[in-house]
Amino acid sequence: MRIASYQLFAILLIGSLNIQAQEVRTFDGSDNNLVNPNWGQIEQPFMNYVPLDYTDGISMPTGLDRPNPRFISTTVFTQDGFVANEKGVSDFGWSFGQFIDHDVTFNDDSHDPEDFLPIQVPQCDEHFDEDCDGGVIIPMKRSKFMDETGTSIANPRRHVNSITPFIDGSGVYGSDDERAHWLRSFVDGKLKVSEGNFLPYNTVTGQMADAVDESAPFMLIEGEHPPRHFIAGDLRANEQPTLAAMHTLFVREHNRLCDELKNANPLWDDEKLYHESRRRVGALIQSIVYYEWLPALGIILDEYNGYSPVMNPSVLNVFSAAAFRLGHTLVNEQLIRLDDAGDTLSFGTIHLKDAFFNPFIITEEGGLEPIFKGMATQKQQRFDTKVVGTLRNFLFGAPGAGGLDLVSLNIQRGRERGLCDYNTIREAFELPKMNNFSDITSEVEVSSKIALAYDGDINNIDPWIGMMAEDHFNGSVVGELIYTILQMQFQNLRDGDRFYFEGDIMLSAKEKELIKNTRMADIIRRNTNISSIQDDVFFAKSHSDLVSVEIVPFDNIRSVDINAYPNPAIDRVVLSVYSTEAETAVLDLLDATGKVVFSEKVIIQGGHNTFEYQLKQVVTGNYIVRLTSDTGVGSVQLIKQ
């Protein structure tokens, strides 16, 4: 009865404050919930849906009786060769997943030099201790925690999320006022970019050639710290080129929207253009998450029924420390790069170990286009207990020279964050306990290796290990426990966000429908020079399978040009045709498969001609407008939103 009364009070209070409610998000996530203004704010603790399980009940890492993390990594996760996922999900699956991970969760390292939790490497390890010297470690710092916690069993250590948990585009704009301010150009609402329309550098102008700005926001760079590097809303953007490409794409989309909104609203100032473009970029990212990316992974959520002021959107500790590290098994050893015709570039394929913290791969070797084209072509790896050697042995460098083992780090991270064992977490999420190793997975070899690694004790398995081993659930690419955690987390992030786009009172119904119908491929097409890419980039498709219509210029001896505006178009399009002489032509509208969906004869007069067409009956997608006359054929690409 008290809960029901509280919910009613919260809903009535939200309603009474609706007129006074802020029109835009704060950067630090505060005041999203008007009753609990710190829900979703930065530097707040992760939510403990599962009770903490420190060895001393206070802060000492759990699992002291569990096997060595590197031993588990080598016994279970060694991978030889490429194993594609069975659903055909492309590299956009794991890469966009990393972009979203960096939008919702970041637990920084502790700044206490004594909070060090190294992983002992077994003697004679093939990669880390070739000379059998012993005593080799994989370094790891413990995670940042709230200063006032970890004092007693009644007040155990609580770790904090240093960015906003909302899917709000914080990777583009930042999670604090200072970073957000630095990233702005303060001209027409736009964000800073460097030459070539790339992310800005840490210089006084954002351009590569200028002096370093000592006040530029901090960016995480492992190994040798280059004097100049990209600055983005999230400090991890330089980690690898597909991630930097994602950040760049949405910065370009922001600036494109600024131009579009300024043309439609010439009286809007820089501040208004900035925040309204930011609102729409955040909405587009949300729409891609909920209507493309999660469905591609096979994660099905409950239908959206509006904002819930009693829903806490905070990130779950078990989500951050274990479940959302699922992408580590999906990553490929090679990053393919292709041109728009599907051919391999002279720069060639990038080996993952050569791509870490090397953003210049983008600026000096073809830009975003070859990276996105390759990602759309290559399938991500299968979700399983196999992780490529680069992530297990060469993460951020060679062994002994910065090299780490991501599997060992995941195991150790779960222990130091106080996560219970795998079976206890299953029970907490109301899933049946596993009684035998064969209950976890039907793959005999995998269950045998896990049993060996944990000396036959099924109730002592580290949560991330059990999660990764489970048979895929309900047609998804992941197991039952991760499925359940992701379903809960992404529903919380959506339903507990007052600014989630489908409930945002500042967006019209028409705008919301437009956002829902905009796909990742549309954003790529309008911000790059890529023309031949599938509509659903989250499912891999080779270039030879892309049946497309060639866009050709007029090659007749007379001067004829064709253009379309607005483009992308919503409900109508105007075609502008210029010809030096009068003639008869055929105008065709072709879909992405080359099928003619509309055709008519037109009379072209000498000079400028305009033809207006209604598009209400034309479905969303990528089209070619083709004009054929006696003297030549020309065409223009048209995106229908």
Side-chain angles (χ1 to χ4, degrees), residues 518-561:
T518 301
R519 311 188 73 159
M520 185 72 174
D522 298 323
I523 297 174
I524 291 171
R525 290 183 187 118
R526 62 198 189 199
N527 291 287
T528 70
N529 294 320
I530 295 175
S531 61
S532 56
I533 196 168
Q534 62 268 39
D535 286 338
D536 192 344
V537 297
F538 290 100
F539 289 94
K541 185 172 283 190
S542 66
H543 182 81
S544 60
D545 291 334
L546 291 174
V547 182
S548 58
V549 181
E550 185 181 6
I551 301 176
V552 295
F554 277 97
D555 56 1
N556 53 325
I557 59 175
R558 286 175 268 177
S559 175
V560 180
D561 292 304

Side-chain angles (χ1 to χ4, degrees), residues 212-487:
V212 170
D213 181 0
E214 299 299 334
S215 66
F218 172 78
M219 296 296 289
L220 183 64
I221 305 288
E222 295 284 347
E224 185 177 349
H225 203 287
R228 287 169 177 77
H229 49 264
F230 288 144
I231 301 291
D234 184 81
L235 76 172
R236 296 161 287 184
N238 291 288
E239 189 173 290
Q240 51 89 9
T242 77
L243 179 61
M246 289 286 181
H247 282 272
T248 307
L249 179 71
F250 286 103
V251 167
R252 290 182 181 182
E253 178 66 6
H254 172 95
N255 288 347
R256 189 197 69 80
L257 283 167
C258 286
D259 288 335
E260 188 176 275
L261 290 172
K262 183 180 180 182
N263 289 336
N265 306 277
L267 297 181
W268 284 8
D269 61 9
D270 169 75
E271 192 74 4
K272 181 72 170 178
L273 288 168
Y274 170 80
H275 284 292
E276 290 305 320
S277 296
R278 176 184 171 222
R279 183 195 307 279
R280 286 157 177 78
V281 168
L284 288 168
I285 294 172
Q286 290 171 346
S287 181
I288 292 168
V289 167
Y290 289 102
Y291 290 104
E292 284 196 272
W293 178 68
L294 284 173
L297 300 182
I299 309 295
I300 308 302
L301 307 186
D302 294 340
E303 186 176 348
Y304 179 65
N305 289 314
Y307 168 61
S308 172
V310 296
M311 177 65 72
N312 190 334
S314 299
V315 169
L316 305 175
N317 189 39
V318 68
F319 175 88
S320 170
F324 210 40
R325 295 168 183 250
L326 64 96
H328 300 164
T329 185
L330 307 177
V331 177
N332 279 303
E333 196 81 77
Q334 308 282 342
L335 303 180
I336 295 175
R337 290 183 291 179
L338 304 173
D339 63 20
D340 202 36
D343 297 323
T344 303
L345 291 172
S346 59
F347 303 119
T349 297
I350 316 167
H351 196 285
L352 187 60
K353 65 182 177 64
D354 298 323
F356 293 131
F357 295 102
N358 189 1
F360 302 113
I361 285 174
I362 295 178
T363 56
E364 298 177 3
E365 297 184 2
L368 306 187
E369 287 82 356
I371 292 174
F372 285 146
K373 183 71 175 180
M375 289 165 60
T377 301
Q378 181 171 233
K379 293 179 182 179
Q380 70 178 20
Q381 300 234 23
R382 184 175 182 269
F383 175 87
D384 54 20
T385 54
K386 296 289 181 287
V387 172
V388 296
T390 293
L391 297 183
R392 278 206 331 106
N393 305 306
F394 299 96
L395 183 66
F396 308 146
L404 304 171
D405 173 10
L406 192 54
V407 171
S408 296
L409 293 174
N410 286 341
I411 297 168
Q412 192 83 323
R413 186 64 66 198
R415 294 177 183 181
E416 77 100 2
R417 294 270 288 270
L419 293 186
C420 303
D421 66 89
Y422 163 69
N423 253 337
T424 299
I425 291 176
R426 278 190 62 89
E427 290 182 304
F429 282 91
E430 300 181 357
L431 300 175
K433 182 179 178 180
M434 299 298 193
N435 296 312
N436 301 292
F437 288 93
S438 58
D439 294 339
I440 302 173
T441 173
S442 58
E443 297 184 41
V444 177
E445 182 181 356
V446 175
S447 63
S448 297
K449 287 182 176 179
I450 297 175
L452 173 64
Y454 286 91
D455 197 24
D457 188 353
I458 197 168
N459 293 314
N460 203 29
I461 299 175
D462 288 283
W464 189 76
I465 303 301
M467 291 177 185
M468 302 305 293
E470 288 185 345
D471 286 334
H472 297 181
F473 176 72
N474 200 28
S476 72
V477 301
V478 298
E480 184 180 33
L481 181 52
I482 286 185
Y483 185 103
T484 303
I485 295 172
L486 264 60
Q487 186 181 60

Side-chain angles (χ1 to χ4, degrees), residues 61 114-119 138-142 412-413 415-416:
E114 295 185 4
D115 254 350
F116 190 56
L117 193 64
I119 299 164
I138 297 172
M140 191 187 92
K141 295 181 180 178
R142 293 201 65 180
Q412 192 83 323
R413 186 64 66 198
R415 294 177 183 181
E416 77 100 2

Side-chain angles (χ1 to χ4, degrees), residues 569-604:
I570 301 173
D571 53 9
R572 70 179 186 91
V573 66
V574 176
L575 302 178
S576 174
V577 179
Y578 176 83
S579 178
T580 56
E581 298 183 27
E583 60 181 325
T584 301
V586 175
L587 187 69
D588 296 317
L589 181 67
L590 302 95
D591 65 17
T593 68
K595 178 183 177 181
V596 177
V597 297
F598 172 81
S599 180
E600 75 169 5
K601 289 184 178 180
V602 294
I603 304 298
I604 301 175

Side-chain angles (χ1 to χ4, degrees), residues 164-181:
T164 65
F166 302 109
I167 301 172
D168 56 2
S170 60
V172 179
Y173 304 101
S175 288
D176 59 77
D177 292 346
E178 292 74 19
R179 184 176 292 265
H181 186 275

